[in-house]
């Protein structure tokens, strides 16, 4: 199963991906996690990305595509994948299509987790306290939500127009949301 998870920051993509990965036995590829690992390791790429991420802006498409190509060249993605945090703009959506085509692959579904803005802000405030992520400051959260509306929301329309979008209600307990996703991707599979 090849899945792309879409949704605003704080919509629960990472949390659900962790569960889906066990369920589907495929790797979870989080571009945010890949970037944070580069920052933590102090690589040149990490040094470039650090400030951009702390502000809540998008790291360059070029860096992201390079990282993704590298990740997809690893054997474990043959079984499938759950992509979380990519694509975040239309250029990245086109780049993903191209990358998968070059690998002779196609994803099965783009799943959008829908959570209203008020709840997103509440969740991110909670996460800021619990995890202390550099980009969970109020200014950065606000900025990330703007970037999402401006750059990432069009990606959802793009997949909708291509008939690849599955919309899932992301409000509820972790178990409830997980069950909805599993149901949605199974239904999508049956319809083809
Ligand atoms: P969240 O979804 O909570 O914003 P992520 O962990 O997905 O968190 O991403 C954190 C940050 O990493 C983003 O705000 C951005 O700076 C950078 N990032 C992650 N994925 C991408 C991407 N596909 N393109 C550009 N920047 C990205």
């Amino acid at each position: 199963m090849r899945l792309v998870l879409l949704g605003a920051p704080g919509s629960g993509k990472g949390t659900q991906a962790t569960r889906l990965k066990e369920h589907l036995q495929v790797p979870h590829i989080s571009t945010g996690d890949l970037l944070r690992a580069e920052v933590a390791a102090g690589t040149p790429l990490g040094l470039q990305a650090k400030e951009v991420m702390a502000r809540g802006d998008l790291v360059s498409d070029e860096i992201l595509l390079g990282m993704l190509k590298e990740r997809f060249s690893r054997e474990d993605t043959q079984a499938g994948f759950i992509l979380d945090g990519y694509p975040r703009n239309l250029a990245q959506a086109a780049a993903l299509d191209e990358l998968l085509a070059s690998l002779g692959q196609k994803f099965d579904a783009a799943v959008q987790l829908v959570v209203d803005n008020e709840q997103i802000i509440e969740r991110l405030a909670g996460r800021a306290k619990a995890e202390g992520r550099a980009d969970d400051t109020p200014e950065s959260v606000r900025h990330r939500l703007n970037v999402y509306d401006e750059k990432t929301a069009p990606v959802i329309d793009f997949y909708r127009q291509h008939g690849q979008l599955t919309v899932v209600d992301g409000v509820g307990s972790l178990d409830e949301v997980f069950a909805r996703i599993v149901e949605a991707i199974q239904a999508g599979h049956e319809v083809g």
Side-chain angles (χ1 to χ4, degrees):
M1 176 75 75
R2 302 184 184 100
L3 286 185
V4 175
L5 286 186
L6 302 168
S11 60
K13 298 186 300 286
T15 312
Q16 293 297 338
T18 306
R19 294 187 161 203
L20 282 167
K21 155 190 156 165
E22 296 301 320
H23 182 76
L24 300 169
Q25 292 292 304
V26 296
H28 167 205
I29 304 176
S30 157
T31 51
D33 286 350
L34 291 175
L35 286 166
R36 280 185 289 275
E38 298 281 345
V39 172
T43 63
L45 192 158
L47 291 176
Q48 242 180 297
K50 189 174 176 178
E51 292 305 316
V52 181
M53 291 174 74
R55 280 203 306 274
D57 275 322
L58 296 185
V59 175
S60 82
D61 291 348
E62 203 186 335
I63 287 185
L64 263 292
L65 186 61
M67 249 176 32
L68 213 58
K69 278 189 177 157
E70 206 277 317
R71 185 62 189 84
F72 274 101
S73 71
R74 281 166 52 188
E75 185 73 23
D76 62 347
T77 55
Q78 290 297 321
F81 55 79
I82 301 160
L83 189 54
D84 157 17
Y86 192 98
R88 259 179 156 89
N89 60 31
L90 288 173
Q92 293 185 4
L96 178 63
D97 274 355
E98 252 177 62
L99 175 60
L100 290 179
S102 76
L103 298 169
Q105 296 184 4
K106 241 185 181 164
F107 64 80
D108 297 289
V111 178
Q112 180 197 6
L113 288 180
V114 180
V115 178
D116 56 273
N117 252 352
E118 220 168 282
Q119 192 142 159
I120 291 272
I121 290 167
E122 216 172 280
R123 285 187 189 181
L124 289 174
R127 188 169 83 186
K129 271 196 202 141
E131 295 178 15
R133 240 172 70 169
D135 60 351
D136 278 344
T137 60
E139 306 80 66
S140 179
V141 164
R142 230 186 341 254
H143 189 60
R144 273 153 64 216
L145 291 174
N146 286 337
V147 169
Y148 179 80
D149 284 340
E150 195 182 310
K151 307 242 166 83
T152 312
V155 172
I156 290 176
D157 292 331
F158 174 86
Y159 287 137
R160 185 181 289 116
Q161 279 159 18
H162 286 75
Q164 291 168 299
L165 186 71
T166 302
V167 179
V168 171
D169 178 4
V171 180
S173 70
L174 296 184
D175 287 343
E176 278 164 358
V177 176
F178 178 69
R180 282 180 206 143
I181 298 174
V182 170
E183 196 185 347
I185 58 185
Q186 276 167 357
H189 243 22
E190 279 157 25
V191 184

